[in-house]
Amino acid sequence: MKTYRIVVLPGDGIGPEIVEAAVAVLDKIQELAGDFRLSYDVHQAGANYYLKNGKNMSAETFEAIRQSDATIKGPVGLPEVRLPDGTEAGSLGGVLRNGFDLYANVRPIKLFPKVPTPLKDKSPESIDYIIIRENTEGLYASRGRGLITEQAATDTLLLTRKGCERICRFAFDTALRKTKGAPEDGRRRVTLVEKSNVLRSFYFFRQVFAEVAKETPEVEIETLYVDAAAAALITKPQHFHVIVTENMFGDILSDLGGATIGGLGMCPSANVGEERAYFEPIHGSALDIAGKNVANPLSQIRAAGMMLEYLGRQKDAALLEKAIWQALEKERFSISPAGQVEKGAMVVAAALKEELERCYEVRK
Ligand code: IPM
Ligand code: MN
């Protein structure tokens, strides 16, 4: 039986409670599928770890991730815990994303049934797009490198040909692989979100995008300035299929998208490179609700589903998304307008386990 080595980083704040729920769901899936095993290797990393050890991750943990098949990461960070340069000490993006060259950050934005959205008259089928956020350069290339004096501060945005080419290719592959096209018209479409009306770097990105697009003529293309894109994600989210964009723009737009589908607690992500990947919610450690049993674990659970897909377990991943859809449809648990769950993460996990049993039964 195939066994996958999975590193688990529970993280800070609500991290441990939502990771526990995700692992419970994964355990159920292994039991039901019956033909694969996950062996977990739990490591501490993040802001609490930094407080005790003066660094956010040990070399052993980094090495364990290098040797793993995939990593499940909970949210990390404590806003108060900062490096001498003033940035947050706990965030692991610099270590993991750049350390393993995980250049694609995949952020699906999908509205599930009965989940409250601030957008009026949006049906679940009308919001279903994926943001492909470039994950190793852009404005974040300046991470830890900006210059600051008494009078001024600067961070530099970097876009390389290699970086633009590979993220655009990844976006076109995603557009081909995604089961459905854009909700509006069923078309496969990649939208480049940029700011080339003002910045030359984005004109460069746009030219590379146009070149790479020629490799995939069956996918429609368009470009949109980021300010207009922010408006369009509110006024006509049904138009979008796959969005590709620079690192910081992708960070901002994915939170915006999250707000339209029941909050960030609904939002998983995959950080993918040529050889490794890790899977996490797009949100932070939400200290204000940690331990209160209201955190929505679906971000973490769906991230675990993205991991299954990455490991080649597409059917199990699809059945998990189906189980989540059905559990919400039947109101086996509900998401409040504030994006919280009523009885805690493990109640959500328990409902999903039952729903999964049904989904696997139907499949037999
Ligand atoms: C995200 C997060 C991180 C980011 C933070 C925690 C550094 O907001 O994954 O979107 O900005 O990339
Ligand atoms: Mn973010």
Side-chain angles (χ1 to χ4, degrees):
M1 173 151 28
K2 174 80 187 154
T3 299
Y4 300 95
R5 287 165 305 170
I6 309 299
V7 170
V8 179
L9 309 173
D12 302 309
I14 60 169
E17 46 190 287
I18 61 175
V19 167
E20 188 190 355
V23 169
V25 169
L26 283 175
D27 285 345
K28 187 71 190 177
I29 292 173
Q30 289 172 72
E31 180 195 316
L32 291 165
D35 60 350
F36 77 102
R37 296 295 307 162
L38 301 174
S39 91
Y40 306 113
D41 183 11
V42 181
H43 289 250
Q44 300 306 321
N48 281 310
Y49 185 89
Y50 177 87
L51 280 178
K52 285 186 215 121
N53 303 285
K55 51 187 171 190
N56 59 20
M57 180 183 287
S58 71
E60 292 74 47
T61 300
F62 191 78
E63 194 47 36
I65 295 170
R66 182 196 300 288
Q67 290 178 25
S68 69
D69 291 304
T71 295
I72 295 173
K73 175 189 162 293
V76 290
L78 300 170
E80 245 71 300
V81 182
R82 300 210 165 233
L83 293 171
D85 73 1
T87 61
E88 272 196 43
S91 56
L92 301 176
V95 179
L96 295 177
R97 294 175 187 171
N98 292 89
F100 290 121
D101 199 24
L102 309 179
Y103 66 91
N105 193 318
V106 186
R107 302 190 155 195
I109 302 292
K110 171 167 144 190
L111 181 61
F112 282 79
K114 314 249 165 100
V115 173
T117 166
L119 304 186
K120 296 281 172 287
D121 49 70
K122 288 291 174 236
S123 64
E125 287 78 17
S126 68
I127 307 182
D128 186 4
Y129 58 90
I130 300 181
I131 297 176
I132 305 295
R133 168 186 178 186
E134 201 294 321
N135 216 23
T136 51
E137 47 185 50
L139 196 50
Y140 279 44
S142 191
R143 222 188 245 260
R145 293 197 185 92
L147 284 179
I148 180 162
T149 69
E150 282 293 311
Q151 302 306 328
T154 168
D155 280 304
T156 306
L157 186 152
L158 172 76
L159 293 174
T160 66
R161 175 169 292 276
K162 177 185 168 198
C164 293
E165 276 178 1
R166 65 184 183 176
I167 201 64
C168 290
R169 280 206 185 95
F170 194 100
F172 284 102
D173 286 350
T174 304
L176 290 177
R177 264 207 313 270
K178 196 170 184 305
T179 17
K180 291 181 194 156
E184 179 183 73
D185 52 14
R187 299 231 188 95
R188 296 185 184 276
R189 171 183 305 121
V190 177
T191 306
L192 172 70
V193 169
E194 41 91 338
K195 192 68 187 176
S196 65
N197 48 343
V198 182
L199 298 174
R200 297 177 77 172
S201 52
F202 284 106
Y203 186 63
F204 174 84
F205 199 169
R206 187 165 154 148
Q207 285 176 305
V208 176
F209 174 72
E211 282 166 30
V212 173
K214 291 190 191 130
E215 298 165 7
T216 322
E218 61 273 48
V219 174
E220 200 172 290
I221 56 168
E222 67 181 2
T223 60
L224 209 52
Y225 298 144
V226 63
D227 45 355
L233 290 179
I234 299 292
T235 55
K236 50 165 191 175
Q238 67 278 5
H239 172 73
F240 295 96
H241 182 225
V242 173
I243 291 171
V244 62
T245 192
E246 180 270 339
N247 205 334
M248 175 116 127
F249 286 173
D251 178 42
I252 298 167
L253 293 181
S254 54
D255 272 31
L256 188 157
T260 66
I261 58 160
L264 305 192
M266 297 299 298
C267 300
S269 69
N271 295 266
V272 190
E274 296 302 337
E275 283 160 41
R276 278 171 202 86
Y278 75 92
F279 302 83
E280 64 178 347
I282 77 164
H283 55 73
S285 57
L287 275 188
D288 52 327
I289 57 165
K292 296 198 173 140
N293 235 11
V294 293
N296 181 0
L298 287 177
S299 54
Q300 193 78 56
I301 293 170
R302 295 184 61 218
M306 292 180 84
M307 180 184 79
L308 291 175
E309 191 176 342
Y310 171 79
L311 293 173
R313 313 281 324 175
Q314 279 83 2
K315 284 192 183 125
D316 301 297
L319 285 171
L320 174 57
E321 285 282 287
K322 188 174 172 203
I324 295 170
W325 187 279
Q326 290 184 353
L328 284 161
E329 176 106 78
K330 294 180 198 161
E331 297 180 275
R332 298 184 55 94
F333 56 86
S334 60
I335 310 297
S336 76
Q340 299 181 352
V341 294
E342 221 171 72
K343 295 175 206 130
M346 290 315 278
V347 171
V348 173
L352 288 179
K353 279 158 57 174
E354 285 177 31
E355 211 51 57
L356 278 163
E357 277 180 9
R358 257 172 239 123
C359 290
Y360 276 85
E361 192 54 43
V362 171
R363 203 185 132 212
K364 270 186 208 156

